[in-house]
Amino acid sequence: DAKTTQPTSMDCAEGRAANLPCNHSTISGNEYVYWYRQIHSQGPQYIIHGLKNNETNEMASLIITEDRKSSTLILPHATLRDTAVYYCIVRVDGTASKLTFGTGTRLQVTL
Amino acid sequence: GAVVSQHPSWVICKSGTSVKIECRSLDFQATTMFWYRQFPKQSLMLMATSNEGSKATYEQGVEKDKFLINHASLTLSTLTVTSAHPEDSSFYICSAGQGPYGYTFGSGTRLTVV
């Protein structure tokens, strides 16, 4: 699986949009971009994933650049409960394809 | 949605004893499950891939005789930490996948060896 690079930490004011970047310059054509988050002392939670088109669900939006070398996770209206470590992972599809976690971005949402 | 249940949530054991952690997929069948370990302030580290009906595949550096994995059914995988020592104290997390929506993770087991 391709490696990803994320900023170590970010701050965001509550109610504002949180934009979390991820670089994956060595991504292969069959690899998807997945985002998970981990709230303290819990298991990671799936957020969203995409291949090359932008995606949106009830939790977030995923913007993937045309060359697929980077992406941005957008939480449109961050709340205190969004404080967590966010992981960007690239992997091929399939339930036997393992997930390899990098260091992630620690997002702190403040009042 | 896909639910993965992990038990126990936390366990304290004496050094030298063994501890079993269970991971169940509640509403789907999982031929493959994954076990991770996480130390404080660190990321998740994949330990092994659990395969139903066959031997687990361990990541480099993970002792297979110390971390025994059994995946005897399509809904249950177990991780047994044998002869546990204080350095095995960690947060252990399992996961399983369902379809194209990525993996679902258990809530984790905090193991403390005293």
Side-chain angles (χ1 to χ4, degrees):
Chain A
D1 291 344
K3 291 185 177 179
T4 62
T5 304
Q6 299 178 250
T8 302
S9 63
M10 294 182 64
D11 291 332
C12 178
E14 189 176 34
R16 304 298 295 269
N19 298 282
L20 291 86
C22 179
N23 286 322
H24 32 79
S25 58
T26 60
I27 191 170
S28 300
N30 62 342
E31 288 183 313
Y32 288 71
V33 180
Y34 280 81
W35 283 85
Y36 288 80
R37 72 180 183 184
Q38 185 180 26
I39 296 171
H40 183 61
S41 295
Q42 296 182 24
Q45 175 190 24
Y46 166 81
I47 301 173
I48 198 167
H49 78 288
L51 182 62
K52 55 183 179 181
N53 297 321
N54 298 337
E55 303 287 344
T56 296
N57 63 21
E58 65 278 5
M59 290 184 66
S61 294
L62 173 61
I63 308 298
I64 303 174
T65 58
E66 193 169 342
D67 62 8
R68 302 208 325 124
K69 293 185 177 182
S70 66
S71 61
T72 301
L73 178 73
I74 301 172
L75 308 179
H77 306 286
T79 71
L80 296 177
R81 287 176 294 182
D82 293 321
T83 293
V85 178
Y86 288 76
Y87 295 98
C88 168
I89 301 168
V90 292
R91 62 177 279 267
V92 296
D93 200 10
T95 55
S97 175
K98 58 187 179 183
L99 279 175
T100 302
F101 286 79
T103 54
T105 295
R106 184 172 298 276
L107 175 68
Q108 180 68 52
V109 181
T110 57
L111 291 172
Chain B
V3 178
V4 173
S5 174
Q6 194 171 336
H7 179 81
S9 299
W10 58 271
V11 57
I12 300 173
C13 72
K14 292 185 177 181
S15 187
T17 62
S18 296
V19 174
K20 180 184 286 187
I21 302 169
E22 293 186 348
C23 180
R24 295 181 184 272
S25 56
L26 296 187
D27 49 3
F28 67 100
Q29 294 182 332
T31 55
T32 303
M33 292 185 176
F34 301 91
W35 288 96
Y36 294 83
R37 179 167 56 180
Q38 185 176 35
F39 292 108
K41 298 187 183 300
Q42 295 186 21
S43 185
L44 284 79
M45 184 190 77
L46 179 65
M47 298 176 66
T49 302
S50 173
N51 304 299
E52 188 271 334
S54 65
K55 292 182 178 180
T57 303
Y58 291 82
E59 295 298 304
Q60 190 173 11
V62 177
E63 301 176 59
K64 61 181 180 181
D65 294 331
K66 180 168 186 62
F67 299 100
L68 300 179
I69 291 173
N70 183 279
H71 194 155
S73 78
L74 288 171
T75 59
L76 174 65
S77 175
T78 60
L79 168 68
T80 301
V81 183
T82 63
S83 186
H85 292 286
E87 56 266 31
D88 298 322
S89 298
S90 189
F91 192 51
Y92 292 87
I93 309 168
C94 69
S95 74
Q98 183 186 33
Y101 299 106
Y103 291 105
T104 300
F105 287 80
S107 55
T109 297
R110 186 159 302 284
L111 169 64
T112 302
V113 184
V114 299

